[in-house]
């Protein structure tokens, strides 16, 4: 995949994707819409302090070399451009993993989330010195334990997390995600548990944590993503009404990961694919050796584990804000 | 991750189709056809078959994966040709070859459905100028693509005597004859009969003063040369030496090549008389053009993670600054949001609420 020649006129290099060729062979190739992307652009190169003035702020961005078009439908546009009617928005929501709310949010260990493949492994992890608590791992398929809690909101201290700011900066600009798309590797994960409609993500007027996320199996799982080994599930977005209230004893940031106005939240747990959940008496799936590690004394306590690390991608369906969660599937071997 | 903001294409205003004819010049020098990769009867770029019906010519030794097939060559005559005789070498195969070309390219005639006979003119009704003994050159689709461009075919053949100081693998010395489809153009000078598509006449001189010595079928990519090119003494003072076999110096006339030689040997003789072949090919490109419009109030924000620092948009200092994005990619999708085609700009294109862009994406088929 070479760069395009950018020394002369602007040219447009167009190719059919592998999926486009497939659809053509099936006789149902019909283009009905388009979108724009800017994957190559690093907006941090936008330089307000350029000595030559405003015309040069984007000099480095405009000099970005662009790759040739390539045929994989996996990677055509990762980050699309968005349309909002308002031109005076200064903030856009981002997504963060919540590790603060009470008795609900799983904690990362280092930079990963452990997913115990079976009950035996969960018991061993809880007993290990390194983890020692259920809040440091997910248990495959569990809907009433710890889960990955994700929030969207404005990651800024410039704006107070008040109801008024939530309304004016987020709700009125259509920046609240009512659903999220979870993409996962279907070689390792079979399904995703997502919040029920009765879930809530809020605090009360005294600042107390009133978060209660209840999970059930995702409404739908689709493997027709156009991406290799990838399935998606849809998770409900719960209104994130954790507000900052003056004079409360409990800080709003003790409940939420954001300092600014919050938009929505969701929570997730995962079920490992059948075969990866075999306990020590059974035959360990060969996938652990093919895609991960086996017989590793992960926590230095004499128990050995097999692991596979995979990435879960969560994307807000309205705003397109995205986060990736590294999940290590772990199964006890001895 | 996927795209969330799509714009619909209006089939009336945002899409159109075009047809473009692309031409390439194809020069084939005689040295490639004979002489470069060995001497006749054992040339590495010439493939003969046990059936002996034709030979294939490549631009490189054909056992190499780098070799490209450039044309096949064969010969034959009609059953009423003077050459047709049970005593002739491969008599049945030569008749079969002639009939195969004639029935495919010209079809049949009369109530008895007789196979049509080639003529070196455009009028098949008069049954004159018939070519009953011919060489056939079938060009590879790699060279002709969709068709040979009318009015561009040029074949230079040696008509001199092989005995006039010529040693293989060199070409016989002159005189040469240049056959061109000079009368043919996109709008005139061609005819159609049967399923072979359009054809033009190969003249040895400027039309209409020249004499027709063959035909070129443009869509089929086949040139047909009558044996009479070498019959006329005025053009061929050494007619008796049409072919001089390298191995033993055996010589024969054109009639000897058609009656006394196998097809492969006769094809060897013709190849060594090819000085130059050139034509322009034609590729028909059908294109769909999609006009992808970014109006002033669309696509002014990005989901690119680097677009924000924390949550603050990097390209704005204050809220009233215009948002800016830089387009590098256009994705074309179906109704199921499947990415069917992708186009890349050679440099980022600035998009703000102050401008509108129309990007023209062309897909060729």
């Amino acid at each position: 995949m070479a760069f395009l020649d950018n020394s002369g006129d602007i040219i447009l290099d167009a190719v059919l994707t592998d999926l486009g060729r497939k659809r053509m062979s099936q006789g149902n190739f019909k283009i009905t819409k388009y979108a724009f992307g800017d994957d190559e652009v690093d907006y941090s190169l936008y330089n307000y302090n350029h000595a030559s003035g405003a015309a040069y702020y984007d000099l480095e961005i405009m000099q970005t070399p662009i790759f040739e078009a390539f045929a994989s439908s996996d990677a055509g546009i990762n980050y699309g451009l968005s349309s909002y009617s308002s031109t005076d928005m200064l903030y856009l929501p981002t997504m963060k993993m919540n590790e603060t709310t009470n008795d609900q949010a799983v904690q990362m260990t280092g930079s990963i989330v452990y997913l115990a493949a079976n009950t035996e492994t969960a018991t061993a992890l809880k007993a290990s010195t390194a983890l020692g608590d259920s809040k440091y791992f997910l248990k495959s398929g569990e809907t009433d334990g710890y889960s990955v809690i994700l929030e969207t909101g404005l990651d800024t201290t410039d704006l107070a997390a008040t109801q008024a700011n939530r309304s004016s900066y987020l709700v009125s600009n259509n920046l609240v995600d009512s659903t999220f798309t979870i993409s996962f590797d279907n070689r390792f994960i079979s399904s995703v548990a997502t919040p029920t409609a009765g879930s809530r993500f809020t605090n009360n007027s005294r600042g107390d944590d009133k978060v209660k996320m209840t999970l059930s199996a995702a409404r739908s799982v689709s493997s027709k993503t156009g991406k290799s080994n990838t399935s998606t599930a849809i998770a409900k977005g719960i209104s994130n009404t954790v507000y900052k209230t003056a004079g409360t004893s409990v800080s709003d940031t003790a409940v939420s990961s954001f300092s600014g106005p919050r938009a929505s939240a969701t929570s997730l747990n995962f079920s490992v694919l059948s075969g990866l959940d075999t306990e020590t008496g059974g035959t360990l799936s060969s996938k652990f050796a093919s895609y991960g590690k086996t017989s590793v004394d992960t926590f230095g306590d004499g128990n050995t584990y097999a692991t596979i690390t995979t990435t879960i991608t969560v994307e807000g369906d309205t705003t397109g804000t995205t986060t990736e969660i590294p999940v290590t599937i772990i199964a006890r071997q001895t | 991750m996927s795209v969330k903001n799509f714009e619909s294409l209006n089939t009336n205003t945002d899409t159109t189709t075009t047809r473009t004819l692309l031409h390439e010049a194809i020069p084939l020098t005689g040295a490639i056809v004979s002489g470069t990769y060995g001497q006749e009867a054992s040339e590495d770029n010439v493939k003969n078959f046990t059936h002996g019906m034709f030979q294939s010519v490549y631009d490189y030794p054909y056992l190499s994966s780098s070799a490209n097939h450039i044309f096949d060559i064969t010969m034959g005559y009609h059953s009423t040709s003077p050459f047709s005789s049970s005593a002739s070498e491969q008599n049945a195969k030569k008749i079969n070859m002639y009939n195969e070309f004639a029935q495919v390219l010209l079809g049949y005639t009369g109530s008895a459905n007789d196979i049509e006979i080639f003529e070196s003119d455009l009028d098949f009704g008069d049954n004159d100028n018939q070519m009953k003994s011919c060489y056939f050159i079938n060009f590879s689709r790699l060279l002709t693509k969709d068709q040979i461009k009318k009015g561009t075919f040029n074949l230079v053949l040696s008509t001199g005597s092989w005995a006039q100081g010529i040693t293989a693998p060199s070409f016989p010395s002159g005189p040469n004859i240049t056959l061109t489809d000079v009368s043919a153009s996109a709008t005139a000078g061609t005819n159609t009969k049967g399923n072979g598509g359009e054809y033009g006449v190969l003249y040895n001189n400027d039309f209409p003063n020249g004499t027709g010595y063959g035909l070129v079928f443009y869509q089929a990519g086949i040139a047909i040369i009558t044996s009479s090119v070498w019959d006329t003494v005025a053009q061929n003072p050494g007619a008796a030496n049409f072919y001089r076999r390298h191995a033993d110096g055996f010589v024969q006339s054109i009639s000897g090549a058609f009656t006394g030689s196998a097809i492969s040997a006769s094809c060897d003789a013709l190849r060594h008389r090819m000085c130059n072949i050139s034509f322009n090919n034609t590729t028909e490109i059908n294109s769909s053009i999609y006009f992808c419009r970014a109006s002033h109030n669309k696509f002014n924000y990005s989901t690119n993670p680097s677009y924000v620092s924390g949550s603050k948009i990097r390209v704005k200092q204050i809220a009233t600054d215009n948002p800016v994005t830089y387009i590098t990619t256009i994705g074309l999708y179906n109704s199921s949001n499947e990415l069917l085609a992708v186009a890349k700009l050679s440099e980022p294109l600035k998009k703000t609420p102050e401008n509108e862009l129309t990007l023209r994406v062309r897909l060729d088929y």
Side-chain angles (χ1 to χ4, degrees), chain A residues 112-164:
Chain A
I112 56 127
V113 173
Y114 278 111
L115 172 59
N118 50 50
T119 303
E120 180 188 35
T121 304
T123 303
L125 294 181
K126 189 174 181 179
S128 70
T129 306
L131 299 183
D133 193 303
S134 298
K135 68 181 179 181
Y136 292 110
F137 58 89
L138 302 169
K139 186 182 171 192
S140 174
E142 194 170 63
T143 55
D144 56 357
Y146 287 91
S147 61
V148 172
I149 293 183
L150 297 162
E151 289 182 83
T152 64
L154 301 185
D155 186 20
T156 177
T157 55
D158 296 344
L159 303 172
T162 62
Q163 186 171 3

Side-chain angles (χ1 to χ4, degrees), chain A residues 11 19 32 36 51 67 71 87 100 108-109 135 138 150 162 191 199 213 251 267 293-294 296 307 326-327 332:
Chain A
I11 60 168
L19 192 59
T32 61
F36 295 112
F67 292 112
T87 60
T100 57
M108 279 191 160
T109 303
K135 68 181 179 181
L138 302 169
L150 297 162
T162 62
S191 65
S199 299
M213 304 294 266
S251 168
S267 62
K293 297 176 182 175
T294 58
V296 178
T307 60
V327 172
R332 185 178 173 186

Side-chain angles (χ1 to χ4, degrees), chain B residues 14-323:
Chain B
D14 296 337
T15 66
T16 187
T17 57
T18 63
R19 175 176 170 270
T20 308
L21 297 180
L22 187 69
H23 303 294
E24 297 172 301
I26 306 295
L28 294 174
T29 60
I32 292 179
V33 175
S34 64
T36 297
Y37 300 107
Q39 293 170 342
E40 111 264 1
S42 61
E43 290 164 284
D44 292 341
N45 67 321
V46 177
K47 187 177 184 181
N48 286 295
F49 302 88
T50 53
H51 54 64
M53 304 282 275
F54 64 90
Q55 66 179 202
S56 297
V57 181
Y58 293 76
D59 63 354
Y60 197 67
Y62 65 83
L63 291 177
S64 167
S65 60
S66 301
N68 295 302
H69 179 210
I70 53 177
F71 62 78
D72 294 322
I73 184 168
T74 186
M75 47 85 76
Y77 44 70
H78 191 261
S79 57
T80 60
S81 162
F83 298 146
S84 177
S85 162
S86 58
S88 296
E89 181 82 13
Q90 289 187 309
N91 184 56
K93 287 188 176 181
K94 289 172 182 172
I95 293 172
N96 289 348
M97 291 309 303
Y98 185 95
N99 287 346
E100 180 181 347
F101 279 93
Q103 71 189 42
V104 170
L105 297 177
L106 301 178
Y108 301 84
T109 184
S111 57
N113 276 335
D114 295 323
I115 294 173
E116 186 61 271
I117 296 174
F118 290 108
E119 293 181 24
S120 58
D121 58 35
L122 296 177
D123 183 2
F124 276 85
D126 54 11
N127 287 332
D128 63 356
N129 298 322
Q130 289 186 327
M131 301 188 295
K132 292 188 175 181
S133 52
C134 303
Y135 278 107
F136 303 98
I137 307 169
N138 305 19
F139 292 97
S140 160
R141 198 170 62 190
L142 178 71
L143 301 188
T144 63
K145 300 292 176 63
D146 292 336
Q147 62 175 293
I148 295 170
K149 185 183 180 187
K150 299 175 188 74
T152 67
F153 190 85
N154 200 306
L155 170 61
V156 181
L157 295 169
S158 165
T159 59
S161 168
W162 208 307
Q164 291 177 333
I166 302 303
T167 53
S170 302
F171 299 114
S173 60
N176 292 334
I177 185 172
T178 300
L179 302 182
T180 65
D181 60 338
V182 63
S183 67
S185 69
T187 55
T190 64
N191 199 356
T192 303
K193 187 178 190 309
N195 297 322
E198 293 172 279
Y199 64 88
V201 178
L202 294 175
Y203 292 97
N204 73 330
N205 209 329
D206 291 342
F207 179 80
N209 302 317
T211 304
Y213 278 109
L215 301 176
V216 56
F217 285 79
Y218 298 104
Q219 288 84 27
I222 296 174
I224 299 168
I225 314 298
T226 176
S227 65
S228 65
V229 170
W230 292 276
D231 275 351
T232 310
V233 173
Q235 292 175 339
N236 182 13
N241 292 329
F242 172 69
Y243 178 42
R244 179 179 184 276
R245 193 158 60 208
H246 171 73
D248 56 9
F250 170 77
V251 294
Q252 63 183 171
S253 65
I254 183 70
S255 63
F258 268 72
T259 58
S261 288
I263 291 174
S264 61
S266 196
C267 292
D268 286 341
L270 178 64
R271 280 192 298 104
H272 284 75
R273 289 183 171 276
M274 290 180 172
C275 300
N276 201 6
I277 306 172
S278 64
F279 58 85
N280 288 359
N281 69 18
T282 302
T283 305
E284 182 177 320
I285 298 173
N286 291 289
S287 307
S288 295
I289 298 173
Y290 301 90
F291 295 96
C292 302
R293 307 179 202 279
S295 61
H296 69 94
N297 59 345
K298 297 287 179 67
F299 301 111
N300 292 321
Y301 294 90
S302 174
T303 60
N304 186 322
S306 72
Y307 194 65
V308 292
S309 172
S311 280
K312 185 175 177 297
I313 296 171
R314 288 185 193 269
V315 295
K316 298 179 92 174
Q317 284 184 306
I318 56 175
T320 52
D321 286 345
N322 271 334

